[in-house]
C-alpha cells in the first residue's frame, strides 16, 4: 500500500513538476557547468581545437584593468539604482495603501513600465534624454536639460540609473504592498492610540514588520541591476567614450565580438560570484533586523 502511494505520488509529481525540472536542468544547470568548463579552456568557435589551459583565463580577467574598472562602475550603478528604486517603490506603496480613491488604477499605471522590454525602454528614454528634454530645456530655459544627458559622462550615468529604476519601481511596489498587507491592523491601531505620528509609525512599526518584503525587493533589484544589458545597449551603447559600459556589456563584447569565449565566460563567473556574495550578505544582514509580527 505504501509502495503504491509512493509510486502514485511520484507519478503525479513528474506529471506536474517534471516539465519545469527538465526546463531548469536544460536551461540553467547544464549551461552553468558547461560554462564553468569553458573558463578553463581556450575555446574558439572558429576552431575545432580546444585546449585545457587551467586558470589562465581567470588570471587574464584580474589583469584586465578595463573589466575591473567596469566592474567598479557597475557596483556604483547598482548601489544608486537599488537605493532609488526601493525608496520610491516603498513610499509609492505607502501612498497606494492609504485608502485613497483610484488606487487600483494608479497601481496598474506604476506597474506598467515593468512590462516594457529593456530594448524598447532604452530607446524610449534615449528619445526623452536626447530630444524631448533638450527641447523643453531650451524652450523654457531649464539649464539642467538644455543639452542631452547622453553626451556627458556624468549625466549619462544618471540617465542609465533613472531608466533602470523607473522600470523596477512598479514591480517592487507590488511586493511592498503585499508586505504592508501583512502588518497587523491592531498594531497600527495601538500606535495610533498611543499618539504616534505617521513618521514614527513608519519607522517603529511598518519598517520592522516589512523586513521580509524589503529583503525580497533588495535581492530582486540587486540581481536585475547587476545583469542589466539591454537598457545599457539601447540607451547609451556604453558611451560616451565607453564611460557607461556595465560589466555585462563588456562580457558580451568580449565573448561574442572578440571571440574570446573562455575569458568572457570567466568574467561572467567572477560577476556571478560578486552578485552572489553581495546578495547573500544583504539578505543575512537585513534578516537580522526582522521581528516577529
Amino acid at each position: 500500500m505504501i509502495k503504491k502511494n509512493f509510486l502514485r505520488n511520484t507519478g503525479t509529481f513528474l506529471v506536474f513538476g517534471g516539465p519545469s525540472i527538465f526546463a531548469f536542468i536544460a536551461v540553467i544547470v547544464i549551461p552553468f557547468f558547461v560554462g564553468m568548463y569553458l573558463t578553463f579552456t581556450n575555446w574558439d568557435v572558429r576552431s575545432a581545437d580546444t585546449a585545457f589551459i587551467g586558470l589562465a583565463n581567470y588570471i587574464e580577467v584580474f589583469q584586465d584593468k578595463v573589466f575591473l574598472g567596469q566592474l567598479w562602475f557597475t557596483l556604483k550603478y547598482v548601489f544608486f539604482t537599488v537605493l532609488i528604486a526601493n525608496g520610491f517603490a516603498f513610499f509609492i506603496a505607502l501612498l497606494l495603501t492609504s485608502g485613497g480613491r483610484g488606487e487600483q488604477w494608479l497601481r496598474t499605471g506604476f506597474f506598467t513600465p515593468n512590462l516594457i522590454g529593456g530594448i524598447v525602454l532604452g530607446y524610449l528614454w534615449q528619445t526623452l534624454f536626447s530630444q524631448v528634454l533638450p527641447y523643453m530645456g531650451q524652450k523654457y530655459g531649464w539649464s539642467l536639460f538644455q543639452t542631452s544627458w547622453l553626451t556627458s559622462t556624468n549625466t549619462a550615468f544618471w540617465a542609465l540609473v533613472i531608466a533602470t529604476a523607473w522600470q523596477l519601481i512598479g514591480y517592487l511596489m507590488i511586493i511592498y504592498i503585499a508586505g504592508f498587507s501583512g502588518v497587523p491592523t491592531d498594531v497600527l491601531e495601538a500606535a495610533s492610540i498611543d499618539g504616534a505620528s505617521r513618521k514614527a509609525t513608519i519607522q517603529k512599526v511598518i519598517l520592522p514588520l516589512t523586513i521580509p518584503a524589503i529583503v525580497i525587493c533588495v535581492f530582486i533589484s540587486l540581481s536585475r541591476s547587476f545583469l542589466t544589458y539591454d537598457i545599457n545597449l539601447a540607451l547609451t551603447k556604453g558611451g560616451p567614450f565607453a564611460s557607461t559600459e556595465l560589466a555585462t556589456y563588456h562580457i558580451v563584447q568580449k565573448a561574442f565580438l572578440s571571440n574570446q569565449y573562455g575569458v568572457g565566460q570567466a568574467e561572467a563567473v567572477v560577476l556571478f560570484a560578486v552578485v552572489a556574495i553581495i546578495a547573500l550578505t544583504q539578505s543575512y544582514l537585513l534578516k537580522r533586523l526582522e521581528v516577529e509580527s
Side-chain angles (χ1 to χ4, degrees):
M1 183 68 179
I2 296 176
K3 184 177 180 181
K4 184 178 180 180
N5 289 334
F6 174 78
L7 292 175
R8 183 177 61 187
N9 293 335
T10 302
T12 303
F13 173 77
L14 291 176
V15 168
F16 292 99
S20 299
I21 295 174
F22 174 78
F24 178 77
I25 293 174
V27 177
I28 303 296
V29 178
I30 294 177
F32 177 81
F33 285 105
V34 171
M36 289 294 297
Y37 166 74
L38 291 178
T39 64
F40 301 105
T41 69
N42 62 348
W43 181 61
D44 188 337
V45 70
R46 298 168 299 183
S47 173
D49 298 328
T50 300
F52 184 83
I53 58 175
L55 297 174
N57 288 328
Y58 289 98
I59 294 173
E60 184 174 343
V61 168
F62 288 104
Q63 291 177 342
D64 187 350
K65 294 183 179 179
V66 174
F67 173 72
L68 295 178
Q70 290 169 347
L71 185 58
W72 172 250
F73 174 81
T74 303
L75 290 171
K76 183 173 70 170
Y77 156 81
V78 169
F79 173 79
F80 285 106
T81 300
V82 170
L83 189 66
I84 293 172
N86 281 276
F88 274 93
F90 184 87
F91 286 106
I92 290 173
L94 276 178
L95 291 174
L96 298 184
T97 52
S98 58
R101 298 179 59 183
E103 287 184 352
Q104 296 298 329
W105 290 101
L106 290 172
R107 291 178 187 181
T108 303
F110 281 113
F111 182 76
T112 301
N114 187 71
L115 304 177
I116 304 175
I119 293 293
V120 176
L121 186 72
Y123 284 127
L124 287 174
W125 279 96
Q126 183 189 69
T127 302
L128 184 66
F129 282 121
S130 61
Q131 297 181 34
V132 177
L133 289 179
Y135 169 79
M136 295 179 67
Q138 294 171 12
K139 183 176 181 180
Y140 297 105
W142 300 341
S143 58
L144 184 62
F145 300 114
Q146 286 184 349
T147 59
S148 173
W149 277 27
L150 304 181
T151 58
S152 170
T153 56
N154 292 326
T155 53
F157 166 78
W158 289 109
L160 192 59
V161 169
I162 291 171
T164 310
W166 186 73
Q167 184 184 37
L168 288 172
I169 286 172
Y171 186 72
L172 302 180
M173 174 199 69
I174 297 299
I175 299 175
Y176 281 124
I177 289 174
F180 295 155
S181 66
V183 177
T185 56
D186 56 341
V187 176
L188 295 175
E189 291 172 356
S192 178
I193 293 172
D194 290 340
S197 64
R198 180 62 172 168
K199 181 180 178 181
T201 302
I202 294 173
Q203 291 179 341
K204 304 297 184 180
V205 178
I206 296 178
L207 268 175
L209 293 178
T210 54
I211 289 296
I214 295 174
V215 171
I216 294 172
C217 286
V218 173
F219 180 84
I220 290 174
S221 54
L222 270 173
S223 58
R224 290 183 61 172
S225 298
F226 265 112
L227 301 180
T228 299
Y229 173 74
D230 43 10
I231 294 179
N232 194 191
L233 175 66
L235 182 61
T236 66
K237 293 184 180 178
F241 314 113
S243 63
T244 60
E245 286 188 3
L246 297 173
T248 50
Y249 190 92
H250 179 85
I251 291 169
V252 172
Q253 299 290 314
K254 177 76 73 174
F256 296 102
L257 294 184
S258 300
N259 288 324
Q260 300 181 46
Y261 291 94
V263 178
Q265 185 63 34
E267 291 177 349
V269 171
V270 171
L271 179 62
F272 170 78
V274 170
V275 176
I277 291 171
I278 293 176
L280 293 175
T281 301
Q282 70 83 23
S283 179
Y284 170 75
L285 294 176
L286 286 176
K287 276 188 172 295
R288 293 181 62 182
L289 302 175
E290 190 172 341
V291 297
E292 294 293 334
S293 59

